[in-house]
Amino acid sequence: MKKLVLAASVLALTLSGCSTHVSYGDPQEVETVDVAFGSTDLQKIAVEMTDSMISSPLLTDITNNNRPIVFVERIKNKTTEHIDTESVTDSISTKLLQSGKFRFVDMTRVTAVREQLDFQNDGGLVDPSKAIAFGQQVGAEYMLYGNLSSIVKTNKKTKDVYYKMTMRLMDLKTGLVEWADETEIRKGETKSTFGW
């Protein structure tokens, strides 16, 4: 019994000695935990790509008196890391939409839209005069797509990671690429003599 009480006391002291502190941080603050792709990299890429596209003289004619309809293909991850490229895609399309120069169709929701239209038109539960008929949606005029790639070099003391994001805007009618740009990020990590 004494051993059980002693073990419980040691466990209680051990657990009480470990505490966790949680606080909010600035989401715009530079994050440098390691060289892996992080929130700062996502924000940098989204800002640079959208600023480039919005300010491009090549797109002045396209957006001058018109808000072209764009569909965004999910950014392809060609790195060796698991990167949530949907977040990168979402940030870029949101910033472009907020610019007031572009409109978007969301191809990721086509199945859900079809189900809703089927429900409205074939379910018998919606007033037919208020149901949205098939064939009224607008198609995209342009496709925005891109790749995120990386090169990683390591030796005993250092690790160097280079990221490159390339994006293009294609006219779906002609197949011509109307805009393209890329941005780069380089991160380095050095081991100390006595470990990390």
Side-chain angles (χ1 to χ4, degrees):
M1 182 67 171
K2 287 183 181 182
K3 288 183 182 180
L4 183 60
V5 170
L6 180 61
S9 298
V10 170
L11 180 61
L13 286 173
T14 303
L15 291 176
S16 66
C18 299
S19 65
T20 302
H21 174 73
V22 177
S23 63
Y24 284 100
D26 179 2
Q28 303 301 316
E29 184 178 353
V30 174
E31 168 261 319
T32 56
V33 175
D34 58 24
V35 293
F37 191 86
S39 62
T40 302
D41 306 319
L42 185 152
Q43 292 165 359
K44 178 185 183 306
I45 283 173
V47 166
E48 288 186 12
M49 288 290 99
T50 54
D51 286 351
S52 171
M53 193 169 160
I54 290 166
S55 64
S56 171
L58 301 170
L59 298 182
T60 302
D61 289 340
I62 294 171
T63 60
N64 197 16
N65 294 317
N66 183 28
R67 288 180 62 211
I69 301 167
V70 178
F71 106 81
V72 182
E73 184 181 55
R74 187 172 179 171
I75 304 300
K76 290 190 176 22
N77 180 7
K78 294 188 171 187
T79 71
T80 57
E81 295 177 55
H82 170 73
I83 296 174
D84 182 5
T85 55
E86 187 173 359
S87 288
V88 178
T89 305
D90 288 346
S91 292
I92 290 169
S93 59
T94 299
K95 288 181 183 305
L96 288 172
L97 186 61
Q98 289 174 343
S99 76
K101 293 187 175 220
F102 300 92
R103 295 177 294 166
F104 291 88
V105 290
D106 190 348
M107 297 306 296
T108 64
R109 299 294 175 245
V110 170
T111 302
V113 170
R114 180 175 294 280
E115 288 173 3
Q116 178 56 215
L117 292 177
D118 284 340
F119 168 76
Q120 289 185 25
N121 290 283
D122 299 334
L125 297 173
V126 176
D127 180 346
S129 68
K130 295 184 179 167
I132 297 172
F134 284 99
Q136 296 187 53
Q137 293 191 9
V138 178
E141 301 164 282
Y142 297 90
M143 177 174 75
L144 183 64
Y145 59 99
N147 298 312
L148 179 62
S149 58
S150 68
I151 299 172
V152 179
K153 298 280 188 172
T154 59
N155 64 26
K156 291 180 181 178
K157 291 190 176 185
T158 62
K159 181 175 186 177
D160 181 77
V161 183
Y162 166 83
Y163 294 101
K164 183 173 84 169
M165 172 73 162
T166 305
M167 293 200 74
R168 292 181 171 86
L169 182 72
M170 177 193 288
D171 183 325
L172 292 176
K173 184 176 181 181
T174 65
L176 295 173
V177 174
E178 297 288 349
W179 168 85
D181 202 353
E182 58 189 29
T183 186
E184 303 165 309
I185 297 170
R186 170 164 260 126
K187 297 167 101 174
E189 184 175 70
T190 305
K191 288 182 187 179
S192 68
T193 307
F194 302 105
W196 285 99

